[in-house]
Amino acid sequence: MRNILSLSCLLLLCSCAQLHHVQIGEVASHSGYVQKPFDIKISESGVNLGEAAEVSKILLNKDRQKDAEEIVGLIGLFQMGPITGNPVYVKDYAKNLIQLIYEKCPSGKVTGLMSVRESRKYPVVSGEIVKVTGYCLVRKGS
Amino acid sequence: MRISILYPVISLLLAGCASINSVSLTPIPPERKNQVRTERGKVIFLGFNFDNDFVDDVVEDLKRQCPNGKVTGLLTKDENINYFLFFVWKKQITVTGYCVPMTSVSSNKGKPRGTASEEGTQNDASELQ
């Protein structure tokens, strides 16, 4: 019994990573420059309403279960169209990405930019992540 | 009889169904002699995947293939290949591009403005001179 419980806890706590999209920009090697790697990670919490409804079925009484299902259905009507990962409720969480790249690389000379869109999935919630890695070109000797 | 049924069944189970997630392309250079290519993949069993680190060294590999130039015209293909009744699948990233020597990029500087890709190459090169 204890084994089953610890295995369930382990499965609930560990996150499954899901890769949605990878994009790679131009890669340049310049002899007069040193390439300094940088990475930026932005994330926001997503909610899987289907799983939330399933959990509510266990926790709530029959009337409340019905209400929860109706609410999930209603919200679902407003969340149509192609998506990656679960819906988040802060729509512009990745808005400052360019600003963050400038902070990491003030010269603005960036190469080998790779942007990765991925999710970390937990029960009901998820981490919706945008990861950007690249190289900042810094002039040798500066 | 049994074997003749078994073979097609096994081959159907082992054959992969491929689906594409996304494709992206960067400006294509006028000089396309030296092609570079890299591929990374990860086999995932029953959806248990705890990281996507397999994509991290793609850029490093491209840099190795083109040490003194610029890799451009990059086509990044992100695909899923499903095997064995969708219990096992493979995430695969394939990147192909062209290695343009830096001297060639610099020599394009004086040429008249052409396609968007040429323009981008010239701007990048002149910016770094």
Side-chain angles (χ1 to χ4, degrees):
Chain A
M1 183 63 187
R2 191 185 270 180
N3 285 345
I4 296 169
L5 195 70
S6 46
L7 189 69
S8 313
C9 284
L10 190 74
L11 278 173
L12 286 173
L13 291 175
C14 66
S15 62
C16 271
Q18 191 182 2
L19 182 69
H20 298 292
H21 178 78
V22 178
Q23 188 170 348
I24 296 163
E26 290 177 350
V27 186
S29 302
H30 299 276
S31 53
Y33 289 83
V34 178
Q35 296 192 356
K36 208 173 120 191
F38 68 86
D39 65 284
I40 296 163
K41 211 173 193 177
I42 303 170
S43 72
E44 186 53 52
S45 303
V47 182
N48 187 327
L49 291 169
E51 283 178 16
E54 290 302 315
V55 171
S56 70
K57 276 182 190 171
I58 302 164
L59 300 174
L60 302 174
N61 63 39
K62 248 185 177 177
D63 290 340
R64 294 272 181 150
Q65 280 173 23
K66 223 175 177 186
D67 291 344
E69 270 178 24
E70 280 172 9
I71 291 166
V72 167
L74 191 68
I75 295 170
L77 289 174
F78 294 94
Q79 293 177 339
M80 290 191 293
I83 55 163
T84 53
N86 289 331
V88 295
Y89 296 95
V90 180
K91 69 177 167 71
D92 45 9
Y93 72 99
K95 193 178 153 190
N96 294 328
L97 192 58
I98 293 169
Q99 188 59 39
L100 289 170
I101 293 172
Y102 268 111
E103 277 171 24
K104 293 268 181 182
C105 184
S107 71
K109 286 169 184 155
V110 172
T111 187
L113 264 186
M114 177 168 75
S115 58
V116 176
R117 167 75 184 94
E118 61 182 341
S119 296
R120 290 264 165 193
K121 290 194 159 188
Y122 301 90
V124 184
V125 291
S126 63
E128 302 301 330
I129 303 164
V130 176
K131 194 171 90 177
V132 173
T133 58
Y135 295 88
C136 178
L137 296 174
V138 181
R139 197 180 280 276
K140 272 181 188 170
S142 64
Chain B
M1 177 63 185
R2 191 182 276 179
I3 288 173
S4 63
I5 297 168
L6 201 66
Y7 277 143
V9 171
I10 289 173
S11 59
L12 272 174
L13 288 175
L14 293 178
C17 286
S19 63
I20 204 146
N21 270 348
S22 68
V23 171
S24 67
L25 184 67
T26 66
I28 299 166
E31 194 183 307
R32 297 186 284 270
K33 283 179 200 157
N34 190 5
Q35 198 181 42
V36 291
R37 181 190 163 91
T38 184
E39 201 177 284
R40 290 288 182 277
K42 186 177 186 182
V43 176
I44 298 165
F45 181 68
L46 286 175
F48 288 107
N49 176 39
F50 302 108
D51 62 70
N52 294 314
D53 295 347
F54 68 100
V55 294
D56 286 355
D57 59 343
V58 169
V59 174
E60 204 55 49
D61 193 22
L62 290 171
K63 276 169 69 184
R64 262 196 299 272
Q65 290 180 52
C66 185
N68 298 311
K70 182 175 183 175
V71 185
T72 183
L74 278 167
L75 174 77
T76 313
K77 202 166 64 171
D78 172 2
E79 57 191 331
N80 282 346
I81 303 161
N82 297 301
Y83 299 100
F84 198 69
L85 299 173
F86 294 75
F87 289 137
V88 181
W89 66 86
K90 189 181 180 189
K91 284 291 293 180
Q92 188 166 291
I93 309 294
T94 312
V95 185
T96 52
Y98 301 97
C99 176
V100 183
M102 272 334 237
T103 48
S104 154
V105 174
S106 310
S107 66
N108 283 339
K109 214 172 144 187
K111 288 183 183 172
R113 295 177 77 169
T115 61
S117 59
E118 283 174 39
E119 192 183 339
T121 315
Q122 286 164 24
N123 289 345
D124 290 351
S126 57
E127 193 191 324
L128 288 163
Q129 292 308 305

Coordinates of all heavy atoms in Angstrom, one line a residue, chain A residues 14-67:
Chain A
C14 N 6.5 14.5 -10.4 CA 7.4 14.7 -11.5 C 6.6 15.3 -12.7 O 5.5 14.9 -12.9 CB 8.1 13.4 -11.8 SG 7.1 12.2 -12.4
S15 N 7.3 16.1 -13.4 CA 6.6 16.8 -14.5 C 7.0 16.1 -15.8 O 8.2 15.7 -16.0 CB 7.0 18.2 -14.5 OG 8.4 18.4 -14.7
C16 N 6.1 16.0 -16.7 CA 6.4 15.6 -18.1 C 6.6 16.8 -19.0 O 5.9 17.7 -18.9 CB 5.2 14.8 -18.6 SG 5.3 13.0 -18.2
A17 N 7.7 16.7 -19.7 CA 8.0 17.8 -20.6 C 7.5 17.6 -22.0 O 7.7 16.5 -22.5 CB 9.6 18.0 -20.6
Q18 N 6.9 18.6 -22.5 CA 6.3 18.5 -23.9 C 6.9 19.6 -24.7 O 6.8 20.8 -24.4 CB 4.8 18.6 -23.8 CG 4.2 18.2 -25.1 CD 2.6 18.3 -25.1 OE1 2.1 18.7 -24.2 NE2 2.0 18.0 -26.2
L19 N 7.5 19.2 -25.8 CA 8.1 20.1 -26.8 C 7.0 20.5 -27.8 O 6.5 19.6 -28.5 CB 9.3 19.5 -27.4 CG 10.1 20.4 -28.3 CD1 10.8 21.5 -27.6 CD2 11.2 19.5 -29.1
H20 N 6.8 21.8 -28.0 CA 5.8 22.2 -29.0 C 6.5 22.8 -30.3 O 6.0 22.5 -31.4 CB 4.9 23.4 -28.4 CG 4.2 22.9 -27.2 ND1 3.2 22.0 -27.3 CD2 4.3 23.3 -25.9 CE1 2.6 21.8 -26.1 NE2 3.3 22.6 -25.2
H21 N 7.6 23.5 -30.1 CA 8.1 24.2 -31.3 C 9.5 24.6 -31.0 O 9.9 25.0 -30.0 CB 7.2 25.5 -31.4 CG 7.6 26.3 -32.5 ND1 7.3 26.1 -33.9 CD2 8.4 27.5 -32.6 CE1 7.9 27.0 -34.6 NE2 8.5 27.9 -33.8
V22 N 10.3 24.4 -32.1 CA 11.7 24.8 -32.0 C 12.0 25.7 -33.3 O 11.6 25.3 -34.4 CB 12.7 23.6 -32.1 CG1 14.1 24.0 -32.1 CG2 12.5 22.7 -30.9
Q23 N 12.7 26.8 -33.1 CA 13.1 27.6 -34.2 C 14.5 28.1 -34.0 O 14.9 28.5 -33.0 CB 12.1 28.8 -34.3 CG 12.3 29.6 -35.5 CD 11.3 30.7 -35.7 OE1 10.2 30.7 -35.0 NE2 11.5 31.6 -36.7
I24 N 15.3 28.0 -35.1 CA 16.7 28.3 -35.0 C 17.0 29.4 -36.0 O 16.6 29.4 -37.2 CB 17.6 27.1 -35.3 CG1 17.4 26.1 -34.2 CG2 19.1 27.5 -35.3 CD1 17.8 24.7 -34.5
G25 N 17.7 30.5 -35.6 CA 18.1 31.6 -36.4 C 19.5 31.4 -37.0 O 20.1 30.4 -36.7
E26 N 19.9 32.3 -37.7 CA 21.2 32.2 -38.4 C 22.4 32.1 -37.4 O 22.3 32.7 -36.4 CB 21.4 33.4 -39.3 CG 20.5 33.4 -40.5 CD 20.6 34.6 -41.4 OE1 21.2 35.6 -41.1 OE2 19.9 34.5 -42.5
V27 N 23.4 31.3 -37.8 CA 24.5 31.1 -36.9 C 25.7 31.7 -37.6 O 26.1 31.2 -38.7 CB 24.7 29.6 -36.7 CG1 25.8 29.4 -35.6 CG2 23.4 29.0 -36.2
A28 N 26.4 32.6 -37.0 CA 27.6 33.2 -37.6 C 28.8 33.1 -36.7 O 28.7 33.2 -35.5 CB 27.3 34.7 -37.9
S29 N 29.9 32.8 -37.4 CA 31.2 32.8 -36.6 C 32.1 33.9 -37.1 O 32.4 33.9 -38.3 CB 31.8 31.4 -36.8 OG 31.0 30.4 -36.4
H30 N 32.4 34.8 -36.3 CA 33.3 35.9 -36.7 C 34.6 35.8 -35.9 O 34.6 35.6 -34.7 CB 32.6 37.2 -36.3 CG 31.3 37.4 -37.1 ND1 31.3 37.9 -38.3 CD2 30.0 37.1 -36.7 CE1 30.0 37.9 -38.7 NE2 29.2 37.4 -37.8
S31 N 35.7 35.9 -36.7 CA 37.0 35.7 -36.0 C 37.3 36.9 -35.0 O 38.0 36.6 -34.0 CB 38.1 35.7 -37.1 OG 38.0 36.8 -38.0
G32 N 36.8 38.0 -35.3 CA 37.1 39.2 -34.4 C 36.2 39.3 -33.1 O 36.4 40.2 -32.4
Y33 N 35.4 38.3 -33.0 CA 34.4 38.4 -31.9 C 34.4 37.1 -31.0 O 34.7 36.0 -31.5 CB 33.0 38.5 -32.4 CG 32.7 39.9 -33.0 CD1 33.1 40.2 -34.3 CD2 32.1 40.9 -32.2 CE1 32.8 41.4 -34.8 CE2 31.9 42.2 -32.8 CZ 32.2 42.4 -34.1 OH 32.0 43.6 -34.6
V34 N 34.1 37.3 -29.7 CA 34.0 36.1 -28.8 C 32.5 35.9 -28.7 O 31.7 36.8 -28.6 CB 34.6 36.5 -27.4 CG1 34.4 35.3 -26.5 CG2 36.1 36.8 -27.6
Q35 N 32.1 34.6 -28.7 CA 30.7 34.3 -28.6 C 30.4 33.9 -27.1 O 30.8 32.9 -26.6 CB 30.3 33.2 -29.5 CG 30.5 33.6 -31.0 CD 29.9 32.6 -31.9 OE1 29.4 31.6 -31.6 NE2 30.0 32.9 -33.2
K36 N 29.6 34.8 -26.5 CA 29.2 34.5 -25.1 C 27.8 33.9 -25.1 O 26.9 34.6 -25.5 CB 29.3 35.9 -24.4 CG 29.6 35.8 -22.9 CD 29.7 37.2 -22.4 CE 28.7 37.4 -21.3 NZ 28.6 38.8 -20.8
P37 N 27.7 32.7 -24.6 CA 26.3 32.1 -24.6 C 25.4 32.7 -23.5 O 25.9 33.2 -22.5 CB 26.6 30.6 -24.3 CG 27.9 30.6 -23.6 CD 28.7 31.8 -24.1
F38 N 24.1 32.8 -23.9 CA 23.1 33.3 -22.9 C 21.9 32.5 -23.0 O 21.6 31.9 -24.1 CB 22.9 34.8 -23.0 CG 22.2 35.1 -24.3 CD1 20.8 35.1 -24.4 CD2 22.9 35.5 -25.5 CE1 20.1 35.4 -25.6 CE2 22.2 35.8 -26.6 CZ 20.9 35.8 -26.7
D39 N 21.1 32.4 -22.0 CA 19.7 31.8 -22.1 C 18.7 32.5 -21.3 O 19.0 33.1 -20.2 CB 19.8 30.3 -21.9 CG 20.1 29.9 -20.4 OD1 21.3 30.0 -20.1 OD2 19.2 29.6 -19.7
I40 N 17.5 32.5 -21.8 CA 16.4 33.2 -21.2 C 15.2 32.3 -21.1 O 15.0 31.5 -22.0 CB 16.0 34.5 -22.0 CG1 17.1 35.5 -22.1 CG2 14.7 35.1 -21.5 CD1 17.0 36.5 -23.2
K41 N 14.6 32.3 -19.9 CA 13.4 31.4 -19.8 C 12.3 32.2 -19.2 O 12.4 32.9 -18.2 CB 13.8 30.3 -18.8 CG 13.1 29.0 -19.0 CD 13.7 27.9 -18.1 CE 13.3 26.6 -18.5 NZ 14.0 25.5 -17.7
I42 N 11.2 32.2 -19.9 CA 10.0 32.9 -19.4 C 8.9 31.8 -19.3 O 8.7 31.0 -20.1 CB 9.5 33.9 -20.4 CG1 10.6 34.9 -20.7 CG2 8.3 34.6 -19.9 CD1 10.3 35.8 -21.9
S43 N 8.2 31.8 -18.1 CA 7.1 30.8 -18.0 C 5.9 31.4 -17.3 O 6.0 32.5 -16.7 CB 7.6 29.6 -17.2 OG 7.8 30.0 -15.9
E44 N 4.8 30.8 -17.6 CA 3.5 31.2 -17.0 C 2.7 29.9 -16.7 O 2.9 28.9 -17.3 CB 2.8 32.1 -18.0 CG 1.5 32.7 -17.5 CD 1.6 33.5 -16.3 OE1 2.5 34.4 -16.2 OE2 0.8 33.2 -15.3
S45 N 1.9 30.0 -15.7 CA 1.1 28.8 -15.3 C -0.1 28.6 -16.2 O -0.8 29.6 -16.5 CB 0.6 29.0 -13.9 OG 1.7 29.2 -13.0
G46 N -0.2 27.4 -16.7 CA -1.4 27.1 -17.5 C -2.3 26.2 -16.7 O -1.9 25.5 -15.7
V47 N -3.6 26.1 -17.1 CA -4.6 25.3 -16.4 C -5.3 24.4 -17.4 O -5.8 24.8 -18.4 CB -5.6 26.2 -15.6 CG1 -6.6 25.3 -14.9 CG2 -5.0 27.1 -14.7
N48 N -5.3 23.1 -17.1 CA -6.0 22.1 -17.9 C -7.4 22.0 -17.3 O -7.6 21.4 -16.3 CB -5.3 20.8 -17.9 CG -5.9 19.8 -18.9 OD1 -7.1 19.8 -19.1 ND2 -5.1 19.0 -19.5
L49 N -8.4 22.6 -18.0 CA -9.7 22.7 -17.4 C -10.4 21.3 -17.4 O -11.2 21.0 -16.5 CB -10.6 23.6 -18.2 CG -10.2 25.1 -18.0 CD1 -10.9 26.0 -19.0 CD2 -10.5 25.6 -16.6
G50 N -10.0 20.4 -18.4 CA -10.6 19.1 -18.4 C -10.2 18.3 -17.2 O -11.0 17.6 -16.5
E51 N -8.9 18.4 -16.8 CA -8.4 17.7 -15.6 C -9.0 18.3 -14.4 O -9.2 17.6 -13.4 CB -6.8 17.8 -15.6 CG -6.2 16.8 -16.6 CD -4.7 16.9 -16.6 OE1 -4.1 17.5 -15.6 OE2 -4.1 16.4 -17.5
A52 N -9.1 19.6 -14.4 CA -9.7 20.3 -13.2 C -11.1 19.8 -13.0 O -11.5 19.5 -11.8 CB -9.7 21.8 -13.4
A53 N -11.9 19.5 -14.1 CA -13.2 19.0 -14.0 C -13.2 17.6 -13.4 O -14.1 17.2 -12.6 CB -13.9 19.1 -15.3
E54 N -12.2 16.8 -13.9 CA -12.1 15.4 -13.4 C -11.8 15.4 -11.9 O -12.4 14.6 -11.1 CB -11.0 14.7 -14.1 CG -11.3 14.4 -15.6 CD -12.5 13.6 -15.8 OE1 -12.7 12.6 -15.0 OE2 -13.4 13.9 -16.7
V55 N -10.9 16.3 -11.4 CA -10.6 16.4 -10.0 C -11.8 16.8 -9.2 O -12.1 16.3 -8.1 CB -9.4 17.3 -9.8 CG1 -9.2 17.6 -8.3 CG2 -8.1 16.8 -10.4
S56 N -12.6 17.8 -9.8 CA -13.8 18.2 -9.1 C -14.8 17.1 -8.9 O -15.6 17.1 -7.9 CB -14.4 19.4 -9.8 OG -15.0 19.0 -11.0
K57 N -14.8 16.2 -9.8 CA -15.8 15.0 -9.7 C -15.5 14.2 -8.5 O -16.4 13.6 -7.9 CB -15.7 14.2 -10.9 CG -16.5 14.7 -12.1 CD -16.4 13.7 -13.3 CE -17.0 14.3 -14.5 NZ -16.7 13.5 -15.7
I58 N -14.2 14.2 -8.1 CA -13.8 13.4 -6.9 C -14.1 14.2 -5.7 O -14.6 13.6 -4.7 CB -12.3 13.0 -7.0 CG1 -12.0 12.2 -8.2 CG2 -11.9 12.2 -5.7 CD1 -10.5 12.2 -8.6
L59 N -13.8 15.5 -5.7 CA -13.9 16.3 -4.5 C -15.3 16.9 -4.2 O -15.7 17.0 -3.0 CB -12.9 17.4 -4.6 CG -11.4 17.0 -4.7 CD1 -10.6 18.3 -4.9 CD2 -11.0 16.3 -3.5
L60 N -16.1 17.1 -5.2 CA -17.4 17.8 -5.0 C -18.6 16.9 -4.9 O -18.5 15.7 -5.4 CB -17.6 18.9 -6.1 CG -16.5 20.0 -6.2 CD1 -16.8 20.8 -7.4 CD2 -16.4 20.8 -5.0
N61 N -19.7 17.4 -4.4 CA -20.9 16.5 -4.4 C -21.5 16.6 -5.8 O -21.1 17.4 -6.7 CB -21.9 16.9 -3.3 CG -22.4 18.4 -3.5 OD1 -22.6 18.8 -4.6 ND2 -22.5 19.1 -2.4
K62 N -22.6 15.8 -6.0 CA -23.1 15.6 -7.4 C -23.6 16.9 -8.1 O -23.3 17.2 -9.2 CB -24.3 14.7 -7.3 CG -24.0 13.4 -8.0 CD -25.2 12.5 -8.1 CE -24.8 11.2 -8.9 NZ -25.9 10.3 -8.9
D63 N -24.3 17.8 -7.3 CA -24.8 19.1 -7.8 C -23.6 20.0 -8.3 O -23.7 20.6 -9.3 CB -25.6 19.8 -6.8 CG -27.0 19.0 -6.6 OD1 -27.3 18.2 -7.5 OD2 -27.6 19.2 -5.5
R64 N -22.6 20.0 -7.4 CA -21.5 20.9 -7.6 C -20.7 20.4 -8.8 O -20.1 21.1 -9.6 CB -20.6 20.9 -6.4 CG -21.2 21.6 -5.2 CD -21.0 23.1 -5.3 NE -21.5 23.8 -4.2 CZ -21.0 24.9 -3.7 NH1 -20.0 25.4 -4.2 NH2 -21.6 25.5 -2.7
Q65 N -20.6 19.0 -9.0 CA -19.9 18.4 -10.1 C -20.5 18.9 -11.4 O -19.9 19.3 -12.4 CB -20.1 16.9 -10.1 CG -19.1 16.2 -9.2 CD -19.4 14.7 -9.1 OE1 -20.0 14.2 -10.0 NE2 -19.0 14.1 -8.0
K66 N -21.9 19.0 -11.4 CA -22.6 19.4 -12.7 C -22.3 20.9 -13.0 O -22.0 21.2 -14.1 CB -24.1 19.2 -12.4 CG -24.8 18.7 -13.7 CD -26.2 18.4 -13.4 CE -26.9 17.9 -14.7 NZ -28.3 17.8 -14.5
D67 N -22.3 21.7 -11.9 CA -21.9 23.1 -12.0 C -20.5 23.3 -12.6 O -20.3 24.1 -13.5 CB -22.0 23.8 -10.7 CG -23.4 23.9 -10.2 OD1 -24.3 23.7 -11.0 OD2 -23.6 24.2 -9.0

